[in-house]
């Protein structure tokens, strides 16, 4: 359950509407759209230089969260697909879902094991419903030893799903819409089962998110993919979180799925008001 900090009521010169946060956010991009590992490297350096813009737990190792959003690194995942025995005619026919499953460990209860297994079943059922080709699961290479105590205790089981485009879909935008609908259906069915600690940071054929409950320098050391030279992208959006109105969690770190939006106090109220003002004009 999320928690929202309650500020004091307005009094004198103080007004809680003017409260703001201090997250660090930015991007690095090749304006010609050329992919390279250097773009990611520069973004990781910039993110590390923003460590001071993020909060830190009492253990001095657990942060409020950090992460990056990049293009899907086709070279890296082409290699992973070949390990599974598949080859795609076009790189853009591949989608990758980053999945945070409930923590899996030797001391899991029977109920926790059932919930973990059920998440996998739901994911594969929904993919089949939308005619998405399921190539397989990938264990994301990680190094948990870099985490602080709080982050390590709450660390989800991190996996990726590799998915192919349905044959009757020709347009990239339509493929993206199907992936969005599949993600929402998965999340809805998992929540209906009462399963906690499940989250999908990204599910797209264009972009991917690597994030977690880190301070900025830990991100690259935790996710080994980010040091792989075959990880090439033309842009990287990076974020170091400073939580002001919610407790830090793995799920809330780096809040970008589609857009670079920083949903803290200074933007949340304005966005809610704009959406309410436009509700009458919205159709679906």
């Amino acid at each position: 359950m999320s928690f929202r900090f309650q500020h004091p009521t307005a009094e004198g010169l103080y007004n809680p509407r003017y409260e703001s946060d201090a997250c660090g956010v930015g991007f690095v991009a090749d304006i010609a759209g050329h992919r390279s590992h250097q773009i990611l490297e520069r973004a990781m350096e910039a993110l590390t230089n923003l460590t001071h813009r993020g909060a830190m737990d009492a253990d001095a190792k657990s942060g409020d969260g950090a992460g990056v959003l990049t293009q899907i690194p086709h070279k890296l995942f082409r290699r992973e697909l070949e390990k599974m025995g598949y080859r795609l005619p076009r790189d853009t026919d591949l989608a990758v879902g980053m999945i945070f499953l409930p923590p899996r460990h030797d001391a899991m209860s029977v109920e926790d094991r059932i919930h973990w297994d059920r998440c996998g079943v739901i994911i594969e059922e929904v993919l089949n419903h939308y005619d998405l080709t399921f190539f397989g699961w990938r264990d994301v290479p990680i190094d948990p030893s870099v985490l602080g105590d709080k982050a390590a205790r709450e660390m989800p089981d991190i996996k990726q799903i590799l998915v192919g485009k349905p044959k009757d879909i020709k347009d990239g935008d339509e493929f993206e819409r199907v992936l969005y609908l599949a993600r929402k259906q998965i999340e809805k069915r998992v929540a209906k089962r009462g399963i906690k600690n499940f989250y999908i940071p990204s599910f797209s054929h264009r972009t991917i998110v690597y994030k977690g409950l880190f301070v900025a320098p830990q991100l690259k050391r935790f996710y080994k993919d980010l040091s792989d030279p075959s990880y090439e992208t033309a842009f990287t959006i990076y974020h170091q979180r400073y939580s002001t109105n919610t407790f830090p969690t793995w799920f809330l770190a780096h809040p970008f799925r589609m857009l670079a939006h920083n949903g803290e106090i200074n933007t949340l109220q304005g966005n809610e008001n704009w959406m309410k003002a436009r509700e009458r004009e919205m159709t679906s």
Side-chain angles (χ1 to χ4, degrees):
M1 182 177 69
S2 63
F3 167 81
R4 177 163 295 186
F5 177 75
Q6 297 296 318
H7 289 284
T9 56
E11 182 178 355
L13 296 176
Y14 174 79
N15 191 317
R17 290 193 306 164
Y18 302 126
E19 289 284 352
S20 61
D21 70 292
C23 295
V25 60
F27 71 93
V28 177
D30 185 306
I31 59 173
H34 297 310
R35 294 172 180 248
S36 71
H37 187 63
Q38 188 180 43
I39 293 294
L40 179 62
E41 287 286 323
R42 288 179 174 176
M44 298 305 298
E45 181 181 1
L47 176 61
T48 300
N49 289 335
L50 285 177
T51 302
H52 65 286
R53 297 298 298 272
M56 191 176 292
D57 198 87
D59 63 14
K61 290 181 71 179
S62 296
D64 266 358
V68 290
L69 177 146
T70 73
Q71 290 176 305
I72 290 179
H74 291 139
K75 282 186 179 180
L76 188 154
F77 284 106
R78 195 183 308 136
R79 183 184 67 208
E80 295 301 312
L81 263 182
E82 289 175 357
K83 290 179 183 177
M84 298 176 180
Y86 297 101
R87 283 193 177 186
L88 287 175
R90 295 182 303 177
D91 289 333
T92 52
D93 289 345
L94 174 71
V96 180
M98 180 71 84
I99 312 294
F100 284 179
L101 291 159
R104 191 177 188 183
H105 47 81
D106 294 337
M108 289 173 69
S109 67
V110 173
E111 183 181 18
D112 287 340
R113 288 183 185 277
I114 293 173
H115 281 179
W116 192 96
D117 292 336
R118 191 59 195 164
C119 289
V121 171
I122 289 172
I123 288 172
E124 294 186 32
E125 286 177 349
V126 172
L127 296 180
N128 182 63
H129 172 75
Y130 284 99
D131 294 324
L132 292 160
T133 303
F134 177 62
F135 295 120
W137 292 88
R138 177 179 184 244
D139 292 322
V140 181
I142 59 174
D143 180 6
S145 68
V146 307
L147 298 176
D149 295 338
K150 173 182 171 59
R153 283 195 307 269
E154 300 177 2
M155 185 185 77
D157 187 14
I158 305 172
K159 294 187 180 295
Q160 289 167 340
I161 50 173
L162 276 59
V163 176
K165 180 170 69 66
K167 293 179 180 179
D168 59 340
I169 290 180
K170 307 296 183 183
D171 180 73
D173 288 340
E174 187 179 354
F175 187 19
E176 199 70 6
R177 283 193 291 271
V178 171
L179 295 169
Y180 171 79
L181 292 172
R183 175 172 66 81
K184 298 300 288 185
Q185 187 65 232
I186 291 167
E187 292 170 339
K188 182 178 181 180
R189 289 181 59 177
V190 168
K192 193 173 182 179
R193 290 271 179 170
I195 301 172
K196 300 178 180 179
N197 300 319
F198 175 87
Y199 188 76
I200 303 179
S202 64
F203 190 22
S204 170
H205 83 293
R206 292 170 174 158
T207 60
I208 189 168
V209 168
Y210 283 78
K211 72 173 188 176
L213 203 55
F214 316 122
V215 287
Q218 294 171 336
L219 176 63
K220 183 179 177 181
R221 290 155 51 202
F222 180 81
Y223 286 116
K224 297 181 181 181
D225 283 347
L226 300 177
S227 298
D228 191 322
S230 65
Y231 197 125
E232 296 180 346
T233 179
F235 71 85
T236 302
I237 299 172
Y238 56 85
H239 179 259
Q240 166 70 62
R241 186 169 188 258
Y242 193 107
S243 174
T244 52
N245 62 345
T246 54
F247 284 131
T249 70
W250 280 81
F251 310 144
L252 295 179
H254 186 76
F256 311 144
R257 268 200 184 110
M258 293 292 293
L259 300 173
H261 166 61
N262 179 16
E264 294 282 1
I265 292 171
N266 59 330
T267 55
L268 180 60
Q269 184 179 17
N271 284 329
E272 287 179 346
N273 289 339
W274 276 114
M275 289 302 293
K276 289 176 182 177
R278 289 181 167 86
E279 277 182 353
R280 291 182 179 273
E281 301 174 8
M282 298 178 76
T283 59
S284 174

